[in-house]
């Protein structure tokens, strides 16, 4: 079958590479039949390459991917149709193959032919080539470019360019029908979670709990920090690159071929949402945990008509440009996920929010249970894997959602002999202690000054340079972030601010730059706490920054310096974890960062701070050499000299500067709080993990 296909390609296109440069390819078409798909096996050719990649595109579809720069030419051969859910395929890796004809075109003297076998129903593919030769990046980066084309807003809060006569949720239902999911979506046993802060953590806790109970889980969250595949987790793991490409291109081609004037391609989040449904259906998950993207009532995920249970995490003031200027209006959007005959849970809310939630629950005649924060004694001495006091509320909400889901699906009696309201089953405790969610109360110890590795730590600082990352971006979440940061940095008993330190009895005390280090050989360190901050311009930094500073100060934690820097990631481009990060970035308008610095300095200096705009001429790529050690007494705002803060134009250069500082002074310990933006947190994670 392969040889026949190769011969036909050679006959039709003697030079596929040249021909591919002259015109774009025709997309692979797949015909849908009742209870199954009539699939095709397709040989794809791409320009600027001579080596194909093999890829499972659909059950029964074999795709030979080359480095994708244009959409492929295709050659189709039919294979038998089979039921959609009865296919056992064993092709999850992408293996590089040589077609004899393609190899000969590159080098006629070559007769090398990789060994491989194709089975229409069990698609086993083997190759003799070294696994080190596998390269997915070109195909994956092509998918990222395609995804980027679906971004319809240039910035958050901007108007969408999507037109047509259909509303968003109507379009979503049409996309679902095109993908053949209409009859399968109801079979997903869904936990649907909304909220202003904590909904992602709640979903992560739910995932871990139900995994520990033995269920196959699917988790859809947003946004991603480094790679878009983070949004789709199967059994606690990000979807693999090859599976992502499998589902992505299938969705892409099938939606593309059904476009009309009134039904354009879905915007990014809508596309990713229907793709998540497709992934979870085809992966046959036992439970799909779906995090609302924005709001609830009009969110793309709200095409879910019959979830098993709904939850609403803590509500606060965020996304006001879309949800309204009052907490009641925001709560009304969140309550939009409530469904008839579906139990709902929430955490304690402010009265204006709780009134709205209760009213909506009463209208639908459904129970709404308010869950108190989890009691520490229920955890049997085990710590929550996600840090911060606010996580006790998220953990309690997750436990209640999971209990309700297990009961509603008829699994409680199978798993547990009794129901003790004053304790948690052991699988629940294990789940709460193993859940993970990057970028939320995350601590990363950077050991680049000693080695090339970067290690994760779950406690206080254990090295020279430690990043404390939390994507908090609302007043409430920044308060929680400040409490978490102040708590974890105070756990280091060997490092104390000078103004709070008396005789410790540990050893001789030496003061330097406002901090003390002990005479102990094991902890001869000087501590500096730095805020690395940025936020989107739709947020109000005059609320966010004072909230953070005051919360930390109340708990005895103060920042030595603050650095304001623009993000690397942009709102109009989707990148992958493998995307190149340029070290020298093009110049950006830093007006917003100087505004943040002005607000920061005004917090520190009070009413005496001048109101005139700060100077913006030629900001440095990284902080000045003496910035870290400059005393606050040198700060002269009237002259434009700031010892407490700085604006820099390059995040990569800032990370390098921090690393250089600890390399130059082995007694120095820098604790960096990165917050204000999940995009900033993702950029820092990408940089420090390289």
């Amino acid at each position: 079958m392969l040889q026949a296909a190769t011969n036909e390609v050679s006959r039709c296109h003697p030079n596929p590479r040249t021909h591919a440069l002259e015109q774009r390819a025709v997309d692979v078409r797949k015909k849908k039949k009742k209870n199954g798909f009539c699939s095709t096996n397709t040989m794809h050719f791409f320009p600027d390459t001579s080596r194909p990649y093999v890829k499972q595109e659909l059950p029964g579809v074999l795709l030979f991917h080359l480095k994708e720069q244009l959409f492929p030419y295709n050659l189709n051969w039919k294979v038998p149709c089979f039921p959609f859910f009865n296919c056992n395929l064993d092709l999850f890796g992408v293996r590089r193959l040589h077609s004899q004809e393609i190899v000969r075109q590159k080098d006629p003297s070559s007769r090398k032919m990789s060994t491989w076998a194709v089975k229409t129903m069990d698609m086993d593919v083997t190759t003799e080539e070294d696994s080190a030769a596998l390269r997915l990046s070109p195909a994956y980066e092509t998918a990222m470019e395609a995804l980027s084309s679906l971004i319809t807003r240039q910035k958050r809060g901007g108007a969408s360019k999507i037109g047509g006569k259909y509303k968003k949720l109507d379009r979503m239902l049409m996309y679902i029908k095109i993908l053949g999911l209409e009859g399968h979506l109801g079979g997903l046993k869904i936990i649907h979670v909304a909220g202003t802060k904590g909904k992602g953590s709640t979903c992560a806790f739910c995932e871990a709990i139900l995994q520990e109970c033995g269920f196959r889980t699917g988790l859809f969250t947003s946004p991603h920090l480094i790679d878009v595949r983070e949004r789709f987790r199967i059994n606690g793991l990000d979807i693999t690159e090859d599976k992502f490409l499998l589902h992505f291109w299938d969705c892409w081609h099938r939606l593309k071929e059904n476009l009309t004037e009134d039904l354009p391609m879905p915007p990014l989040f809508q596309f990713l949402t229907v793709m998540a449904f497709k992934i979870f259906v085809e992966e046959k998950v036992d439970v799909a945990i779906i995090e609302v993207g924005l709001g609830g009532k009009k969110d793309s995920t709200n095409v879910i008509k019959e979830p098993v249970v709904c939850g609403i995490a803590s509500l606060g003031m965020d996304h006001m440009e879309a949800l309204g200027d009052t907490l009641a209006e925001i709560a009304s959007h969140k309550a939009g996920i409530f469904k008839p005959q579906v139990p709902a849970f929430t955490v304690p809310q402010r009265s204006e929010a709780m009134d709205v939630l209760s009213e909506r629950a009463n209208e639908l005649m459904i129970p709404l249970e308010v869950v108190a924060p989890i009691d520490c004694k229920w955890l049997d001495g085990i710590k929550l894997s996600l840090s911060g006091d606010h996580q006790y509320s998220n953990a309690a909400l997750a436990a209640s959602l999971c209990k309700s889901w297990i009961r509603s699906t008829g699994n409680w009696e199978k798993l547990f002999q009794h129901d003790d309201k004053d304790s948690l089953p052991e699988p629940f405790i294990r789940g709460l202690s193993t859940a993970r969610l990057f970028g939320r109360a995350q601590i990363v110890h950077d050991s680049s000054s000693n080695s090339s590795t970067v290690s994760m730590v779950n406690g206080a600082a254990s090295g020279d340079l430690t990043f404390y990352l939390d994507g908090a971006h609302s007043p409430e979440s920044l308060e929680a972030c400040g409490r978490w940061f102040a708590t974890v940095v105070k756990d280091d008993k060997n490092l104390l601010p000078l103004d709070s330190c008396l005789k410790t009895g540990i050893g001789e005390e030496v003061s330097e730059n406002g901090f003390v280090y002990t005479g102990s050989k094991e902890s001869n360190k000087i501590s500096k706490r730095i805020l690395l901050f940025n936020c989107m311009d739709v947020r109000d930094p005059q609320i966010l920054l004072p909230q953070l500073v005051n919360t930390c100060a109340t708990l005895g934690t103060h920042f030595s310096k603050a650095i304001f820097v623009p993000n690397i990631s942009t709102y109009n481009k989707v990148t992958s974890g493998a995307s190149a990060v340029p070290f020298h970035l093009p110049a950006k308008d830093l007006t917003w960062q100087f505004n943040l610095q002005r607000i920061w300095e005004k917090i520190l200096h009070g009413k005496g701070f001048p109101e005139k705009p700060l100077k913006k001429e030629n900001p440095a790529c990284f902080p000045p050499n003496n910035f870290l050690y400059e005393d606050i007494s040198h700060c002269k705002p009237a002259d434009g000299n700031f010892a407490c803060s700085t604006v820099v134009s390059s995040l990569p250069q800032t990370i390098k500067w921090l690393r250089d500082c600890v390399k130059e002074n082995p007694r120095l310990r820098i604790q960096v709080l990165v917050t204000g933006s999940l995009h900033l947190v993702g950029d820092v994670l990408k940089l420090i993990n390289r």
Side-chain angles (χ1 to χ4, degrees), residues 297 312 315 326-336 338 349-363 368:
K297 184 189 304 181
I312 295 184
L315 300 182
T326 68
L327 195 56
E329 290 177 292
I330 292 172
S332 178
H333 278 275
K334 308 294 183 180
F338 289 168
Q349 309 279 3
R350 287 164 56 183
S351 59
E352 54 264 48
M354 187 60 73
D355 290 344
V356 173
L357 299 182
S358 298
E359 182 180 354
R360 180 58 181 160
N362 290 334
E363 290 173 0
L368 174 62

Side-chain angles (χ1 to χ4, degrees), residues 309 345 369 371 395-405 407 428:
V309 62
F345 296 82
E369 183 176 332
V371 183
L397 178 58
S400 295
L401 291 171
C402 290
K403 282 184 177 181
S404 179
W405 185 90
R407 289 194 187 97
F428 280 54

Side-chain angles (χ1 to χ4, degrees), residues 205-220:
F205 279 132
C206 286
E207 174 195 48
I209 289 171
L210 293 175
Q211 267 188 269
E212 290 292 340
C213 291
F215 297 102
R216 180 171 173 80
T217 61
L219 174 64
F220 176 60

Side-chain angles (χ1 to χ4, degrees), residues 22-80:
E22 297 173 355
Q23 65 182 60
R24 289 191 175 274
V26 179
D27 295 335
V28 178
R29 306 301 187 212
K30 303 171 186 68
K31 297 179 182 179
K32 182 178 66 175
K33 284 189 175 182
K34 186 176 181 181
N35 298 322
F37 291 103
C38 186
S39 304
T40 59
N41 287 343
T42 306
M43 178 79 79
H44 286 202
F45 289 95
F46 300 83
D48 302 328
T49 184
S50 62
R51 304 202 117 169
Y53 292 82
V54 65
K55 178 79 178 63
Q56 174 198 338
E57 174 115 328
L58 270 178
V61 178
L62 184 61
L63 177 60
F64 293 77
H65 279 294
L66 289 91
K67 297 178 181 178
E68 301 181 45
Q69 297 190 16
L70 299 176
F71 289 109
Y73 282 91
N74 63 75
L75 167 71
N76 302 326
W77 67 81
K78 301 294 182 183
V79 298

Side-chain angles (χ1 to χ4, degrees), residues 201-496:
S201 299
T202 299
C203 289
F205 279 132
C206 286
E207 174 195 48
I209 289 171
L210 293 175
Q211 267 188 269
E212 290 292 340
C213 291
F215 297 102
R216 180 171 173 80
T217 61
L219 174 64
F220 176 60
T221 60
S222 61
H224 63 273
L225 297 183
I226 297 177
D227 196 294
V228 71
R229 293 183 294 112
E230 299 166 25
R231 297 179 184 235
F232 315 94
R233 295 210 309 225
I234 304 295
N235 267 353
L237 299 176
D238 298 350
I239 188 171
T240 60
E241 200 168 83
D242 62 304
K243 280 191 177 183
F244 176 88
L245 289 172
L246 159 71
H247 296 295
F248 171 80
W249 287 116
D250 181 38
C251 289
W252 180 272
H253 294 316
R254 294 171 69 184
L255 292 173
K256 273 283 188 181
E257 68 183 2
N258 285 279
L259 299 184
T260 67
E261 184 177 346
D262 292 318
L263 188 67
M265 281 293 282
L268 178 64
F269 186 74
Q270 293 177 40
F271 183 94
L272 295 176
T273 301
V274 294
M275 183 174 162
F277 293 146
K278 178 181 183 296
I279 290 170
F280 296 154
V281 166
E282 295 194 17
E283 290 293 327
K284 300 179 183 178
V285 298
D286 297 316
V287 54
I289 303 153
I290 307 294
E291 178 190 0
V292 167
L294 174 63
K297 184 189 304 181
K298 299 179 181 179
D299 186 68
S300 300
T301 65
N302 209 29
V303 290
I304 300 168
K305 299 302 181 185
E306 297 178 351
V308 175
V309 62
C310 294
I312 295 184
S314 181
L315 300 182
M317 303 301 293
D318 195 16
H319 297 283
M320 285 91 78
E321 76 282 358
L323 305 180
D325 296 325
T326 68
L327 195 56
E329 290 177 292
I330 292 172
S332 178
H333 278 275
K334 308 294 183 180
I337 70 168
F338 289 168
K339 301 295 188 300
Q341 301 179 340
V342 176
F345 296 82
T346 189
V347 298
Q349 309 279 3
R350 287 164 56 183
S351 59
E352 54 264 48
M354 187 60 73
D355 290 344
V356 173
L357 299 182
S358 298
E359 182 180 354
R360 180 58 181 160
N362 290 334
E363 290 173 0
L364 296 173
M365 295 184 290
I366 59 172
L368 174 62
E369 183 176 332
V370 180
V371 183
I374 206 163
D375 194 324
C376 292
K377 68 181 182 182
W378 293 1
L379 300 176
D380 292 336
I382 302 297
K383 288 186 177 181
L384 297 179
S385 58
L386 303 181
S387 301
D389 292 342
H390 57 291
Q391 294 294 358
Y392 288 95
S393 287
N394 299 330
L397 178 58
S400 295
L401 291 171
C402 290
K403 282 184 177 181
S404 179
W405 185 90
I406 293 172
R407 289 194 187 97
S408 297
T409 55
N411 288 294
W412 186 267
E413 290 75 14
K414 300 175 185 177
L415 294 172
F416 309 112
Q417 300 298 319
H418 63 281
D419 184 7
D420 187 351
K421 294 184 178 181
D422 295 326
S423 65
L424 290 175
E426 288 187 9
F428 280 54
I429 296 174
R430 291 197 301 270
L432 294 175
S433 66
T434 57
R436 64 180 182 88
L437 189 65
F438 293 151
R440 283 79 163 179
Q442 180 183 359
I443 303 174
V444 179
H445 168 62
D446 183 81
S447 56
S448 63
S449 57
N450 299 315
S451 69
S452 60
T453 60
V454 177
S455 59
M456 301 284 183
V457 294
N458 293 317
S462 60
D464 294 323
L465 177 58
T466 305
F467 292 92
Y468 300 78
L469 303 114
D470 193 283
H473 48 264
S474 69
E476 296 84 0
S477 59
L478 273 167
E479 179 182 2
C481 170
R483 291 185 177 278
W484 162 72
F485 178 69
T487 300
V488 293
V489 296
K490 283 174 65 178
D491 283 345
D492 191 340
K493 305 300 183 183
N494 295 319
L495 289 160
L496 300 170

